[in-house]
Amino acid sequence: MNRTKTSPTTPTVKEQLLDHAQRFLMTRGYNGFSYRDLAEQVGVKTSSIHYYFPAKEDLVLEAIKAYDALIKEGLAGIDEALPAAQKLALYARGFGRIAADGHRICLCGMLAADIETLPETVRVAVQRFFAYHEGWLARVLVQGVTEGSLTVTSSPDATARALFAGFQGSVMASRLFQAPTRLEEVVASVCGVA
Amino acid sequence: MNRTKTSPTTPTVKEQLLDHAQRFLMTRGYNGFSYRDLAEQVGVKTSSIHYYFPAKEDLVLEAIKAYDALIKEGLAGIDEALPAAQKLALYARGFGRIAADGHRICLCGMLAADIETLPETVRVAVQRFFAYHEGWLARVLVQGVTEGSLTVTSSPDATARALFAGFQGSVMASRLFQAPTRLEEVVASVCGVA
DNA sequence: GTCTATAAGAGGATAGAC
DNA sequence: GTCTATCCTCTTATAGAC
């Protein structure tokens, strides 16, 4: 069963593994699932997983890459011409979709919690993810201040960090209480916007 | 070696176990440490740990209780007569002390990340912790609005949730980047206060 | 590519001696 | 209270057959 990457056909084993790995990472964290769990989901043996991902570190690194690509796709769908407030609303909506099933949080938020048990390569990848999103949000805040559509009480960089931290903490709390996400609250509280 | 609980003497084995358990939970999470790790730290065998904490669930539950008591002690040290802005500053400072060693995050924030792998009893305990702090913050926000010392753009409850989420996310990010905590940024961004 | 077999150790937990 | 001994399962990982 070899197939490098045809497109609109059934997913390859590697793709399935990566999909389930992402879900496990978002729900249970790095130390909360095993190759065995993964193997059961896909219907292969654990040794087959090692064929694609020799070590768990490789698996996580590829999972981050796939997750990052998916999220960037969402960001790319936000029209550059939109007012800043609307961009933030769409960002929050997108962030909420991650946790829509009530059991997931942001993959990189979870890895940030697990970070002390993970190899340095993972730390770097997660740092990159955080920095990218904080940068994206900071640019939107600058736009909003320029437009006069957003009210910000600190520097754009500091506010962006607070905003992203608020999003991460908020999805964790929502899942903890098994309640719908309230990302709009975060936007409203940080940027003074309905 | 039996000692129920004399006061200013060396800590009992149970106290040492609880101390190290708290630290492990804050750094590595529930699935990131074992009875073996704990035993090595205290210099006992794993079977001795089971004497005090029959199952890992018991250990975590008691660790939460001890942690909660410690944090409440800190809150009690905040003078009720203070202006709201100063209370928030002190709260943020206290929250930052948790992560002062650069490797810890809030014990209950960590457990919120691990929550899908934990027994229901733990979820309830962590929910209680979150709700208590959100409530405490909401009361301070109400005070601040009444005084006119704080600027809030949503309801006190919503703002308190956003604030607490921001704190949780912020300490995670600080540790991720191995940078000093920036909890004041969160306060400033959410409450428009220096 | 996927499997069987296996290693070598870590995981939580218990029984019973001291 | 603490230990030794033990259980049984899970964990990551490798070697080699098909």
Side-chain angles (χ1 to χ4, degrees):
Chain A
M1 199 151 276
N2 178 352
R3 191 151 43 73
T4 315
K5 194 154 160 226
T6 342
S7 276
T9 172
T10 40
T12 63
V13 168
K14 185 171 187 181
E15 284 165 353
Q16 290 181 66
L17 287 169
L18 231 27
D19 266 18
H20 286 285
Q22 284 180 70
R23 182 173 54 79
F24 275 132
L25 283 170
M26 291 193 263
T27 51
R28 310 178 56 92
Y30 182 85
N31 300 301
F33 79 101
S34 67
Y35 271 44
R36 196 178 267 189
D37 297 321
L38 208 44
E40 279 170 16
Q41 293 294 315
V42 179
V44 296
K45 299 295 172 181
T46 61
S47 51
S48 298
I49 306 180
H50 284 284
Y51 171 77
Y52 295 106
F53 310 101
K56 210 177 176 184
E57 177 179 354
D58 304 305
L59 176 65
V60 189
L61 252 17
E62 287 216 46
I64 295 173
K65 196 179 286 183
Y67 177 76
D68 181 66
L70 188 76
I71 301 294
K72 285 214 171 101
E73 219 176 277
L75 285 189
I78 298 181
D79 187 347
E80 182 56 46
L82 249 33
Q86 273 185 53
K87 285 186 187 171
L88 283 188
L90 288 174
Y91 183 96
R93 191 182 306 241
F95 206 99
R97 239 175 273 128
I98 291 168
D101 76 340
H103 298 285
R104 304 189 197 199
I105 62 174
C106 171
L107 192 149
C108 288
M110 178 66 91
L111 292 178
D114 291 338
I115 205 69
E116 296 282 318
T117 69
L118 299 173
E120 195 54 27
T121 51
V122 175
R123 187 187 287 260
V124 171
V126 176
Q127 282 177 344
R128 231 186 275 283
F129 183 90
F130 268 60
Y132 182 86
H133 282 260
E134 289 169 355
W136 191 93
L137 289 169
R139 286 194 296 280
V140 172
L141 291 176
V142 168
Q143 180 198 339
V145 169
T146 308
E147 289 171 359
S149 67
L150 294 181
T151 310
V152 155
T153 52
S154 293
S155 76
D157 283 355
T159 309
R161 282 192 291 267
L163 196 49
F164 190 63
F167 287 145
Q168 293 290 354
S170 190
V171 291
M172 276 199 358
S174 299
R175 184 181 68 163
L176 173 66
F177 288 103
Q178 303 181 295
T181 57
R182 294 199 254 243
L183 280 331
E184 340 72 39
E185 281 183 359
V186 176
V187 177
S189 297
V190 174
C191 308
V193 95
Chain B
M1 201 152 278
N2 179 352
R3 192 151 40 74
T4 316
K5 197 158 155 218
T6 343
S7 277
T9 173
T10 40
T12 64
V13 168
K14 187 172 185 181
E15 285 164 352
Q16 290 182 65
L17 287 169
L18 231 25
D19 266 18
H20 286 285
Q22 285 180 69
R23 182 173 53 78
F24 275 133
L25 284 169
M26 292 193 263
T27 50
R28 311 179 54 91
Y30 182 85
N31 300 301
F33 79 102
S34 67
Y35 271 44
R36 207 169 273 186
D37 296 321
L38 208 43
E40 279 169 15
Q41 293 293 314
V42 179
V44 295
K45 299 294 172 181
T46 62
S47 51
S48 297
I49 306 181
H50 284 284
Y51 170 76
Y52 295 105
F53 311 101
K56 209 176 177 184
E57 177 179 355
D58 303 305
L59 176 64
V60 188
L61 252 18
E62 288 217 47
I64 296 173
K65 197 179 288 182
Y67 177 76
D68 181 65
L70 188 76
I71 301 293
K72 284 214 172 99
E73 218 176 278
L75 284 189
I78 298 180
D79 187 347
E80 180 57 46
L82 250 32
Q86 274 185 51
K87 285 186 187 170
L88 284 188
L90 288 175
Y91 183 95
R93 192 181 307 239
F95 207 97
R97 240 174 275 128
I98 291 169
D101 75 340
H103 298 286
R104 304 188 195 201
I105 62 174
C106 172
L107 192 150
C108 288
M110 178 66 91
L111 292 177
D114 290 339
I115 205 69
E116 297 283 318
T117 70
L118 299 172
E120 194 54 25
T121 50
V122 175
R123 187 188 288 261
V124 171
V126 177
Q127 283 177 344
R128 232 186 274 282
F129 183 90
F130 268 60
Y132 182 85
H133 282 260
E134 289 169 354
W136 191 92
L137 290 169
R139 285 193 296 280
V140 173
L141 291 176
V142 168
Q143 180 197 338
V145 169
T146 307
E147 289 171 358
S149 68
L150 294 181
T151 310
V152 155
T153 51
S154 293
S155 77
D157 284 354
T159 309
R161 283 192 292 266
L163 196 49
F164 190 63
F167 287 145
Q168 292 290 355
S170 190
V171 291
M172 276 199 359
S174 299
R175 185 182 65 164
L176 173 66
F177 287 104
Q178 304 181 293
T181 56
R182 294 199 254 244
L183 279 333
E184 340 74 40
E185 280 184 0
V186 176
V187 176
S189 297
V190 173
C191 307
V193 96

